[in-house]
Amino acid sequence: MPKTPNVEEVADQLHSTAIRLLRLVRVQDTTSGIAPARLSALSVMVFGGPVSLRELARAEQVRPPTMSRIVDALEAQGLARRTINTKDRRAVLIAATKRGQSLLQEGRARRVKFLASYLVKLEPAELRILAEGLAAMQRALQPG
Amino acid sequence: MPKTPNVEEVADQLHSTAIRLLRLVRVQDTTSGIAPARLSALSVMVFGGPVSLRELARAEQVRPPTMSRIVDALEAQGLARRTINTKDRRAVLIAATKRGQSLLQEGRARRVKFLASYLVKLEPAELRILAEGLAAMQRALQPG
DNA sequence: GGCATTGGTTAGCTAAGCTAATTATTCCGC
DNA sequence: GCGGAATAATTAGCTTAGCTAACCAATGCC
């Protein structure tokens, strides 16, 4: 029976491994031809559905004026669209276009495929442990 | 005996969990009063020792001119220092100052502590699985 | 109906990214 | 050991991404 690991130490490992992992997959994004901040904002719309600009800004940890210009750029590239919110005409509803959706999905698939190419080095048992650890982490990060 | 999970699916979960995790801890960096790109470059020096500008740029996936100015800023803030490399006088050696080191370590500690505050919600058995999964992931990401 | 609140944009700044061009070494071939 | 190619860094000048302050438009509430 292995001894229970120290929480701070696990957090430390987790932190640096996450950094390394994203640094690794980030290289794949250069192919997409879309700037990181825009890609990230687009991803929020694609996975969360139409959102107001404020929500989008909050999700991206950015101020509204910053997001306003990112959305300008996404619109100019035909990847997102502002639509009027009939419930509250102050707010806009921002949604990804078809093209924005597929572009994001392709980029994401590239990242995931690339990451998977590292995971195939693991034994089935290791992969299973990784999947279980991941599930535990997701529970931990859950709000509440 | 649980069945062996699908590699692509694990990669997918891993990817999105890593994104979520870093987005979560990033909030802690606002306290440090140092911009993200600088903090990240500083971290490379602190953990890897003195490096040339090119190495630093490569590590950060950035072009040399960009890194040159980040180092300018770090020097101006008294967090890093360029020293001459007597072996190759074209190149500079960039190192964190004492103050740069402690500033980074404090920031890192804040992030880790914050992350740890989520992990305490886990049962000892879950934490152990997480630690094992993490070890597997580190093996997978290892170059080679 | 008037006024505070809320959502978004505009203006104007700094920081962070890029390419192209310049300068200073180093390396290499002869 | 000299001259040219290659390499390390910086400078110049551009775009994108971040910010605050100021503004306009719609909502909401007494």
Side-chain angles (χ1 to χ4, degrees), chain B residues 38-51:
Chain B
R38 298 175 190 178
L39 202 56
S40 186
L42 190 57
S43 134
V44 174
M45 297 172 218
V46 170
F47 292 104
V51 282

Side-chain angles (χ1 to χ4, degrees), chain A residues 35 37-38 62-63 65-66 69-70 88-90:
Chain A
R38 298 176 190 178
V62 139
R63 303 290 171 181
T66 299
R69 287 201 295 187
I70 290 174
D88 182 347
R89 292 218 310 280
R90 286 171 302 183

Side-chain angles (χ1 to χ4, degrees), chain A residues 59-125:
Chain A
E60 291 290 293
Q61 295 174 23
V62 139
R63 303 290 171 181
T66 299
M67 189 49 71
S68 188
R69 287 201 295 187
I70 290 174
V71 173
D72 285 349
L74 285 172
E75 276 198 315
Q77 291 184 279
L79 303 174
R81 205 165 13 228
R82 283 176 173 96
T83 62
I84 44 170
N85 182 350
T86 49
K87 300 276 183 187
D88 182 347
R89 292 218 310 280
R90 286 171 302 183
V92 299
L93 268 184
I94 304 160
T97 61
K98 275 268 155 59
R99 210 173 125 241
Q101 290 188 25
S102 41
L103 200 136
L104 183 94
Q105 299 285 13
E106 285 158 23
R108 185 186 163 82
R110 251 197 314 277
R111 279 165 159 249
V112 168
K113 236 183 173 56
F114 183 66
L115 187 50
S117 77
Y118 282 83
L119 298 187
V120 294
K121 289 190 285 186
L122 294 178
E123 302 291 331

